[in-house]
Amino acid sequence: MKIILLALLAGLFIAVPVSQSFAQDKSPVKFGKIEPQDFDLSGSKFDSGASAVIIADIGNSSFEGNTKGWFTLMFQRKKRIKIINKNGFGAATDEIHLYSSGRDEERLLNFKAYTYNLENGKVVQTKLDETSVFKEKLSKNVVRQKFTFPAVKEGSIIELTYTISSDFLFNLQPWTFQSEYPNLWSEYQVQMPDFFSYVLLSQGYLPFFINKKTSAFKGFNIMQPSDNPGSSSEHIAISSNLVNSRWVIKDVPALKEENFTSTLKNHVSKIDFQLAQYRFPQMPVKDIMGNWVSATDHLMKDEEFGLPLEKDNNWLSDDLRGIVKKNGSNMEKAKQIYAFVRDHFTCTSFSDLRLNNSLKTIFAKKNGSVADINLLLVAMLRHEGIQAYPVILSTKDHGYAFEMYPLMDRYNYVIVNTIINDTSFYLDATRKMGFGKLSSECYNGSARLISENPMPLSFVADSLKEEKITSVFMINSEKGEIVGEFNSQLGYNESDALRSKITKSGREEFAKKITGAFNGDVDITSLGIDSLADLDNKVKVHYEFTMNNMKEDVIYFNPMMAEGYRENIFKAAERYYPVEMPYAMKEVYLLNMEVPKGYVIDEIPKSAKVNFNEGEGFFEYSIFKVGNERIQLRSQFQLNKANFSPEDYAPLRDFFGYVVKKHSEQIVFKKAK
């Protein structure tokens, strides 16, 4: 089985001579020139349901010497899109992000945007007025320039060209080949001198049409400003081998949100760059990115992360006296401290990596970000002599982090590792979870323990095992009705989800949903939900019921009751990226029922058992009758892993389809003659 994951390529852009020319592989688009035949895309390959199509999107990044004694990055982009129908009008609104720091900022140059319409066989051009470009400061360092193309209607072609001049060499532009619209030609080139070393991060599941390098030799002219007023600048000429890297993907399908996707950011085909080193001739190599040892040391000395944890924090003594019982074991103390923070603090942001206030202020306010609360938890545990360390990770909605490189912007979450009796426990006091339990959002791969001995950690969904057992017992009552008992022991994650639902909507709404699942054909009584407030244990749901639709001459009865799979959770015919379920699962359903009094069994589903992917899962549906008085059913559905490659999608979809089919089959009862 072929599994395609993120390809992490440590790219130093070393010159690789390639004899083949790119001439025969040029983009079919000539920007700035639109002919009537360009509006006809009938010969192109894309989803017929698309509301807009990117005809070509081409970018180029290069380095130039500047007048500041250094280098400037020049990024050029050209893009052409056809609007198919009104649902594609969103493609006519675009934005460009520019980075700034202090007095320095990236500059937008040669900006042009046009709309073309075909009227009476002639191309009519409408130019975007520069006054229609709106600037907005998104953050301390990012300005957004947003605009909407003019005169857009169904059938329009829009075209955009611009250049970004940047003195921030760490900001070598990434390139995304895939978006919500299909793309006929997506291309990016980078001309890289040997002076600079970047790590190339490549991800996605689409094959490159072109992935090649050529080399050349280039001279750079740099003007070094004089330190003395009135003196002229010094001219510096420097030469380097230059590697031209070119990537092209053709006929790129639109990236669509599907069930069981952590975030599309993990799966979009793209390349990204991280500045690693400066490598100038006759000079020592200057490390820019660093490694995990240096990055961890920096975090531990950071006043907004590790430094406050190294202090005595004696101000906690009085407060902890009322939280921690005297003479308790470390395990008892850890559970008491964790429960106090979890139950008395409110998380204001579930995406943060550094402290926003002092630990003392956070304790007093009883709220803060995930970093505030969990770093405070580390300090409280350490105050009581319990080993505790911060752990940084990236949640599923934030995208994957990379174990090899200390790319801090890839991390957005802090949890706690505490070691008690040589056993590690991972804690997150921002969520209503039991001791040692983490939300499935945290199970997103690479994480990092921050300590004197930094360690890579991994939290993967395959390691989460969710088990649910449901039993139903049905008999004939003295009144001639079919009555029964329902008992379901939920898995831990489903228990957590149910607690959240009941907190939000209440028990009555939950009871209505149970009744609604039976289509109103049942009366529910004695509803019980055990361990709802006990976060360390799983929830058990139980109730009694009376069936109301068991009086007809012919009764059609689904033995799965309100349980089981009623529709396939995988709708799309194709999928280009993995299936990421929150956990591995095992679901067992047991039914033991008496045949309704006065009826006989006319039809019964057939038993079946199927395996999935050579031991990665199975489904068993075992049903039989005991004489003509009783029916017993055992349905067991099991997936032994949570993540599946794109190649597994079709068989997984078929597997679930078969489960849905069996779970929808009915028993037929007829009145006895």
Side-chain angles (χ1 to χ4, degrees):
M1 180 179 63
K2 183 180 179 184
I3 299 178
I4 307 176
L5 295 176
L6 290 174
L8 300 183
L9 306 175
L12 299 185
F13 291 91
I14 299 172
V16 180
V18 179
S19 59
Q20 182 175 349
S21 169
F22 294 143
Q24 68 270 36
D25 297 322
K26 286 185 177 179
S27 162
V29 170
K30 292 184 178 180
F31 287 93
K33 187 176 182 181
I34 298 286
E35 302 290 349
Q37 58 266 28
D38 293 328
F39 288 83
D40 182 10
L41 299 182
S42 58
S44 301
K45 180 183 177 182
F46 60 91
D47 182 3
S48 59
S51 56
V53 178
I54 302 172
I55 298 171
D57 189 9
I58 299 175
N60 183 288
S61 284
S62 61
F63 291 74
E64 293 182 359
N66 61 29
T67 59
K68 302 177 182 179
W70 195 230
F71 291 84
T72 294
L73 271 169
M74 302 299 292
F75 171 70
Q76 298 175 316
R77 187 171 197 171
K78 299 178 179 181
K79 182 161 61 172
R80 181 184 290 181
I81 302 173
K82 180 171 182 183
I83 308 299
I84 305 296
N85 56 48
K86 62 183 180 181
N87 292 328
F89 285 176
T93 296
D94 208 341
E95 57 188 47
I96 300 168
H97 290 185
L98 301 175
Y99 186 86
S100 65
S101 179
R103 295 182 179 180
D104 295 327
E105 60 182 20
E106 293 178 331
R107 293 183 298 146
L108 181 63
L109 309 172
N110 305 321
F111 175 82
K112 297 177 184 178
Y114 297 94
T115 300
Y116 300 92
N117 289 301
L118 191 60
E119 299 179 5
N120 299 320
K122 294 184 178 181
V123 178
V124 177
Q125 171 186 294
T126 306
K127 184 179 181 180
L128 173 68
D129 191 329
E130 291 186 9
T131 60
S132 299
V133 179
F134 300 97
K135 294 183 180 180
E136 179 186 3
K137 197 167 183 66
L138 293 183
S139 67
K140 178 183 177 182
N141 299 111
V142 179
V143 173
R144 175 172 67 182
Q145 302 213 17
K146 190 173 183 179
F147 52 92
T148 300
F149 287 80
V152 171
K153 56 186 179 182
E154 293 183 344
S156 295
I157 287 179
I158 57 178
E159 193 169 275
L160 169 69
T161 66
Y162 63 87
T163 299
I164 295 176
S165 173
S166 174
D167 293 336
F168 304 104
L169 297 192
F170 60 81
N171 204 24
L172 177 57
Q173 292 286 336
W175 189 259
T176 301
F177 295 92
Q178 204 170 11
S179 70
E180 61 182 302
Y181 304 110
N183 192 335
L184 304 183
W185 184 279
S186 184
E187 173 180 345
Y188 192 40
Q189 292 193 59
V190 176
Q191 289 85 47
M192 179 71 62
D194 282 351
F195 310 139
F196 305 112
S197 169
Y198 286 77
V199 167
L200 169 64
L201 305 172
S202 174
Q203 69 173 47
Y205 308 91
L206 301 176
F208 286 109
F209 174 64
I210 298 171
N211 181 6
K212 296 180 179 178
K213 291 180 171 65
T214 56
S215 64
F217 206 69
K218 181 179 178 179
F220 295 88
N221 292 311
I222 300 171
M223 298 301 294
Q224 178 67 51
S226 174
D227 293 332
N228 300 317
S231 299
S232 60
S233 299
E234 180 184 358
H235 175 260
I236 301 172
I238 185 170
S239 298
S240 171
N241 189 62
L242 195 74
V243 175
N244 180 67
S245 299
R246 186 174 185 234
W247 303 272
V248 177
I249 303 181
K250 286 176 58 179
D251 302 324
V252 182
L255 193 63
K256 298 177 181 179
E257 188 79 54
E258 299 284 355
N259 285 339
F260 302 109
T261 304
S262 55
T263 173
L264 289 179
K265 289 186 288 187
N266 281 339
H267 308 301
V268 60
S269 289
K270 66 177 292 188
I271 49 180
D272 203 351
F273 306 88
Q274 294 287 332
L275 180 59
Q277 294 175 335
Y278 294 150
R279 309 174 66 128
F280 287 92
Q282 299 177 349
M283 294 180 64
V285 173
K286 183 177 181 181
D287 192 22
I288 304 298
M289 186 171 64
N291 53 46
W292 271 112
V293 173
S294 60
T296 300
D297 183 64
H298 178 76
L299 274 177
M300 292 174 63
K301 294 175 180 176
D302 191 331
E303 292 184 354
E304 296 178 346
F305 192 90
L307 197 59
L309 305 178
E310 299 300 318
K311 299 177 181 178
D312 292 334
N313 293 314
N314 290 327
W315 55 270
L316 279 167
S317 298
D318 291 339
D319 295 297
L320 283 171
R321 219 173 270 125
I323 298 169
V324 177
K325 293 181 180 177
K326 249 186 177 182
N327 302 320
S329 66
N330 277 356
M331 178 63 79
E332 290 171 331
K333 290 179 181 179
K335 287 185 174 182
Q336 289 159 3
I337 293 170
Y338 169 73
F340 173 81
V341 177
R342 178 196 65 197
D343 297 340
H344 293 85
F345 285 70
T346 301
C347 185
T348 56
S349 172
F350 288 97
S351 181
D352 204 0
L353 211 60
R354 286 176 168 79
L355 292 170
N356 298 282
N357 285 296
S358 69
L359 294 177
K360 192 170 185 178
T361 299
I362 295 165
F363 189 93
K365 291 173 64 176
K366 297 293 187 292
N367 66 38
S369 71
V370 61
D372 293 330
I373 292 173
N374 283 332
L375 288 174
L376 173 63
L377 178 59
V378 171
M380 294 172 71
L381 290 168
R382 288 185 179 182
H383 187 276
E384 294 302 302
I386 301 169
Q387 275 186 274
Y389 306 96
V391 174
I392 60 173
L393 56 82
S394 176
T395 52
K396 287 182 177 179
D397 61 350
H398 189 251
Y400 292 136
F402 299 108
E403 179 179 331
M404 189 178 302
Y405 307 114
L407 309 178
M408 302 312 296
D409 62 339
R410 300 298 179 112
Y411 294 84
N412 73 317
Y413 208 82
V414 181
I415 61 171
V416 179
N417 166 238
T418 186
I419 302 174
I420 302 171
N421 299 328
D422 297 324
T423 301
S424 280
F425 298 89
Y426 296 97
L427 311 176
D428 179 4
T430 65
R431 302 176 188 264
K432 301 299 182 185
M433 307 286 287
F435 187 86
K437 299 289 186 180
L438 298 176
S439 163
S440 61
E441 273 294 302
C442 294
Y443 285 80
N444 192 41
S446 177
R448 183 66 58 160
L449 179 75
I450 305 302
S451 71
E452 296 83 358
N453 299 305
M455 290 176 52
L457 301 172
S458 184
F459 297 94
V460 293
D462 286 348
S463 67
L464 278 178
K465 310 295 182 182
E466 184 84 345
E467 185 171 344
K468 177 181 181 180
I469 301 177
T470 301
S471 64
V472 178
F473 185 74
M474 300 171 64
I475 61 172
N476 293 289
S477 72
E478 294 179 358
K479 297 180 180 180
E481 299 173 316
I482 292 292
V483 297
E485 294 180 357
F486 175 97
N487 291 278
S488 186
Q489 177 78 62
L490 308 184
Y492 189 87
N493 286 276
E494 189 176 359
S495 298
D496 178 52
L498 180 58
R499 289 184 179 106
S500 297
K501 287 179 183 177
I502 291 179
T503 299
K504 183 178 179 180
S505 304
R507 293 171 64 105
E508 289 185 7
E509 188 64 27
F510 176 64
K512 288 180 183 178
K513 287 186 177 181
I514 293 175
T515 304
F518 286 93
N519 298 318
D521 295 330
V522 65
D523 292 326
I524 304 294
T525 57
S526 305
L527 173 63
I529 308 173
D530 300 342
S531 300
L532 196 59
D534 184 356
L535 301 180
D536 288 313
N537 286 311
K538 302 173 183 178
V539 169
K540 182 178 181 181
V541 177
H542 53 90
Y543 54 82
E544 297 175 357
F545 61 90
T546 302
M547 303 296 298
N548 297 324
N549 60 345
M550 309 294 271
K551 301 293 184 182
E552 304 294 331
D553 290 342
V554 178
I555 298 172
Y556 296 92
F557 175 72
N558 186 330
M560 292 301 299
M561 304 285 282
E563 295 292 301
Y565 290 88
R566 299 187 175 189
E567 60 180 25
N568 199 328
I569 58 179
F570 300 110
K571 307 292 186 186
E574 294 181 291
R575 184 159 171 152
Y576 299 98
Y577 53 92
V579 174
E580 300 168 297
M581 307 188 83
Y583 36 70
M585 62 179 71
K586 178 180 179 182
E587 297 177 358
V588 178
Y589 175 84
L590 305 171
L591 171 72
N592 192 327
M593 72 172 294
E594 287 186 349
V595 174
K597 193 172 183 180
Y599 288 81
V600 295
I601 302 168
D602 185 57
E603 292 181 26
I604 191 171
K606 293 182 179 179
S607 295
K609 183 174 181 178
V610 294
N611 290 315
F612 173 71
N613 247 16
E614 300 179 354
E616 291 183 351
F618 74 89
F619 170 64
E620 180 183 21
Y621 187 94
S622 177
I623 187 169
F624 57 93
K625 51 187 179 181
V626 181
N628 197 46
E629 293 79 35
R630 186 173 294 279
I631 292 175
Q632 293 182 347
L633 165 67
R634 175 186 173 88
S635 172
Q636 181 169 333
F637 173 83
Q638 187 164 326
L639 285 177
N640 298 322
K641 54 184 286 189
N643 293 325
F644 297 89
S645 72
E647 289 84 355
D648 285 329
Y649 177 72
L652 186 65
R653 182 172 179 259
D654 292 343
F655 179 63
F656 270 88
Y658 184 78
V659 174
V660 170
K661 176 180 175 295
K662 293 302 294 182
H663 280 180
S664 65
E665 291 180 351
Q666 301 187 86
I667 301 170
V668 180
F669 298 109
K670 284 187 176 180
K671 275 192 175 179
K673 295 181 180 179

